[in-house]
Amino acid sequence: MAGVSLKCGDCGALLKSVQEAQEHGELTSHFNFSESTEAVLNLVCTDCGKPCRSKTESDLHTKRTGHTEFVDKTSEAAKPINLEAPKTVAESEEAVDASSSSQSEEMVVPEVDKKLLEELELMGFPTARATRALHYSGNTSLEAAVNWVVEHENDPDIDQMPMVPLNSKVEAPKSSLTPEEMKLKAQELRERARKKKEEEEKRMEREKEKERIRVGKELLEAKRIEEENERKRLLALRKAEKEEEKRAREKIRQKLEEDKAERRRRLGLPPEDPAAVKPSSPVVEEKKISLPVRPATKAEQMRECLRSLKQNHKGDDAKVKRAFQTLLTYIGNVAKNPDEEKFRKIRLTNQTFQDRVGALKGGIEFLELCGFEKVEDDEFLFLSRNKVDMAVLNSAGSELNSAINNPFFGVL
């Protein structure tokens, strides 16, 4: 299908003709156009007949006038685009003049001051760059040429030899400086260029430092928020543990009362008079004490891991207790014999380990909190000698003893 529009590669605008593309380029400095089969949108307002070339333009028209009905006449207005730009009479004459002049004129390298050129070459500039700098800076002074190089050092043609028509050759002005003055001037220019480069480097370093400070602040803020969330989670966890212990004590007390009443019934004794029963001391609401919140310790993480293990397997107390005792044996062996590798390496596929610890959710996580790591494609749990921390092992042993001996640990 023939192209029906020109599409701007910079902003995506669709244009009906080459003339519109030229006007778009003059307004936006966009000159990357390609032929497109997508037609320019033509939405005609049914109320006032105004054509709109885009959805944005129709939305603005609706906002200004309140007209909401449009008819899409894009297909009717679409025509193959003519890629030849219209030429004016003046342009045609200029083209003829340019053609005739290009045939008659010969392009040559412009003449520049030889001494200035030598000085620039001594300063390390290539001949083509030095010639271009002298020519476009007016061929007046060494300083002007160096300044031109500094301003145009990123030009793609900076190292191409300039060419001018033969009849436009201008004789270069002669320098009025002595050789000594020229050397001093060149040294001054080199020093000035060096200082300018150092100032630019310092400016870039300051910008980088500001960026580093900004990123550092963002990281600190993110860490603070994370610690705050962790403190809130631990507070909620401690509160839940206290509530759990309170409910467990109440449940045990009720069980004792029921057993006592059952024994009296079996012995043929009358039920205990509720009025004679010594009223239980009222539950004193614990006074809330505001304590500084701290991040979770290793011991608290271990306690939470053991509590989760018991909660996940609350239907089998014997299996949970056996898992706790097995973990205590592993930790005790390492604490007593830290140099023996056989106590610091556990095969995950071992059936005994799987039955006692590995198959229970939370068992392997507890060993990892103690310093064990999975190695050899997750075949072993291994605690390297340099990572054996007796304080961590002692904390693990204390938490396991508490979990085994405390009847209220993870009851609810």
Side-chain angles (χ1 to χ4, degrees):
M1 179 177 177
V4 294
S5 66
L6 288 175
K7 186 173 184 179
C8 177
D10 297 311
C11 64
L14 295 175
L15 305 160
K16 289 183 177 180
S17 63
V18 175
Q19 185 176 358
E20 285 189 3
Q22 291 175 346
E23 294 174 356
H24 179 75
E26 292 174 357
L27 291 174
T28 62
S29 298
H30 297 168
F31 296 100
N32 181 20
F33 299 99
S34 61
E35 190 176 359
S36 174
T37 58
E38 183 180 356
V40 178
L41 195 64
N42 185 23
L43 300 176
V44 180
C45 177
T46 57
D47 295 315
C48 63
K50 175 178 173 56
C52 297
R53 299 179 56 169
S54 66
K55 186 66 169 61
T56 303
E57 190 174 340
S58 65
D59 290 341
L60 291 174
H61 180 71
T62 300
K63 187 175 181 181
R64 286 195 299 265
T65 64
H67 300 166
T68 58
E69 297 296 330
F70 294 89
V71 177
D72 190 350
K73 295 185 178 181
T74 304
S75 58
E76 299 177 7
K79 296 180 181 179
I81 191 168
N82 183 10
L83 298 179
E84 294 184 2
K87 293 184 179 180
T88 62
V89 176
E91 289 175 340
S92 301
E93 292 176 354
E94 289 177 0
V96 173
D97 294 341
S99 175
S100 59
S101 61
S102 61
Q103 294 176 358
S104 60
E105 291 181 349
E106 181 183 356
M107 304 299 288
V108 296
V109 177
E111 290 188 5
V112 295
D113 189 297
K114 300 300 182 182
K115 291 185 178 180
L116 294 179
L117 181 61
E118 290 176 2
E119 286 297 321
L120 288 174
E121 290 176 343
L122 289 174
M123 293 172 66
F125 294 108
T127 303
R129 183 177 298 196
T131 303
R132 179 174 287 271
L134 288 170
H135 173 67
Y136 286 108
S137 64
N139 203 29
T140 55
S141 67
L142 195 64
E143 182 178 3
V146 171
N147 289 335
W148 188 93
V149 171
V150 172
E151 293 174 359
H152 297 80
E153 60 183 352
N154 294 323
D155 291 357
D157 58 350
I158 184 68
D159 288 321
Q160 294 181 8
M161 186 67 73
M163 304 296 289
V164 297
L166 180 62
N167 58 6
S168 65
K169 291 175 59 178
V170 180
E171 188 173 349
K174 295 183 179 180
S175 174
S176 60
L177 300 177
T178 63
E180 292 296 329
E181 290 175 338
M182 291 177 65
K183 289 181 180 180
L184 291 175
K185 189 67 174 178
Q187 184 177 357
E188 178 185 349
L189 291 174
R190 283 194 294 268
E191 184 67 19
R192 188 179 303 173
R194 183 185 63 80
K195 287 182 178 180
K196 185 175 182 179
K197 185 177 180 180
E198 289 179 353
E199 290 175 358
E200 182 65 18
E201 290 177 351
K202 289 180 180 179
R203 187 188 68 79
M204 294 298 295
E205 187 62 31
R206 286 195 297 270
E207 293 295 329
K208 291 179 180 178
E209 183 64 24
K210 289 180 181 179
E211 182 65 16
R212 284 195 293 269
I213 293 173
R214 185 187 66 79
V215 173
K217 287 181 178 179
E218 290 181 355
L219 291 176
L220 288 175
E221 181 64 17
K223 185 177 180 181
R224 185 191 67 78
I225 294 174
E226 182 180 357
E227 291 178 352
E228 181 68 21
N229 292 336
E230 182 65 16
R231 285 195 292 268
K232 291 179 180 179
R233 188 189 68 81
L234 289 175
L235 283 175
L237 178 62
R238 291 170 188 159
K239 184 177 179 180
E241 287 179 350
K242 289 182 180 179
E243 292 293 333
E244 179 184 354
E245 291 182 3
K246 181 179 176 181
R247 290 193 298 270
R249 286 195 296 269
E250 182 63 23
K251 187 176 181 180
I252 293 172
R253 187 188 66 77
Q254 291 177 1
K255 181 65 176 175
L256 292 174
E257 291 292 337
E258 292 174 359
D259 292 344
K260 185 177 179 181
E262 181 64 20
R263 286 195 300 271
R264 291 180 68 87
R265 186 185 64 77
R266 289 178 180 178
L267 293 173
L269 299 175
E272 189 173 8
D273 186 5
V277 179
K278 183 179 178 181
S280 59
S281 57
V283 178
V284 180
E285 183 71 21
E286 289 187 17
K287 184 178 180 181
K288 295 183 180 179
I289 302 175
S290 177
L291 296 175
V293 182
R294 56 181 174 75
T297 63
K298 183 73 76 172
E300 290 171 337
Q301 294 177 16
M302 293 176 180
R303 187 181 311 126
E304 175 61 15
C305 183
L306 294 176
R307 180 177 175 276
S308 298
L309 190 151
K310 187 166 185 178
Q311 287 290 326
N312 291 329
H313 307 88
K314 62 168 57 178
D316 196 342
D317 293 336
K319 181 181 288 188
V320 171
K321 187 173 182 180
R322 185 176 63 179
F324 288 171
Q325 291 172 342
T326 304
L327 289 171
L328 185 61
T329 301
Y330 283 129
I331 300 304
N333 288 338
V334 176
K336 294 175 184 176
N337 307 281
D339 296 322
E340 292 289 336
E341 183 176 336
K342 64 180 181 180
F343 295 123
R344 295 184 282 106
K345 193 170 185 178
I346 305 170
R347 184 184 293 275
L348 290 172
T349 56
N350 183 278
Q351 190 60 42
T352 303
F353 173 80
Q354 282 295 322
D355 292 340
R356 292 174 174 267
V357 176
L360 278 69
K361 185 177 180 180
I364 295 177
E365 288 80 357
F366 183 85
L367 289 172
E368 289 177 336
L369 287 173
C370 296
F372 283 86
E373 297 176 341
K374 292 180 180 179
V375 296
E376 298 180 18
D377 295 332
D378 294 344
E379 186 177 354
F380 292 91
L381 277 175
F382 181 70
L383 176 59
S384 59
R385 180 63 183 90
N386 60 351
K387 291 187 178 181
V388 174
D389 190 337
M390 298 306 295
V392 172
L393 296 178
N394 290 334
S395 296
S398 299
E399 294 300 328
L400 285 167
N401 280 322
S402 175
I404 294 170
N405 300 320
N406 183 2
F408 304 113
F409 184 85
V411 172
L412 298 176

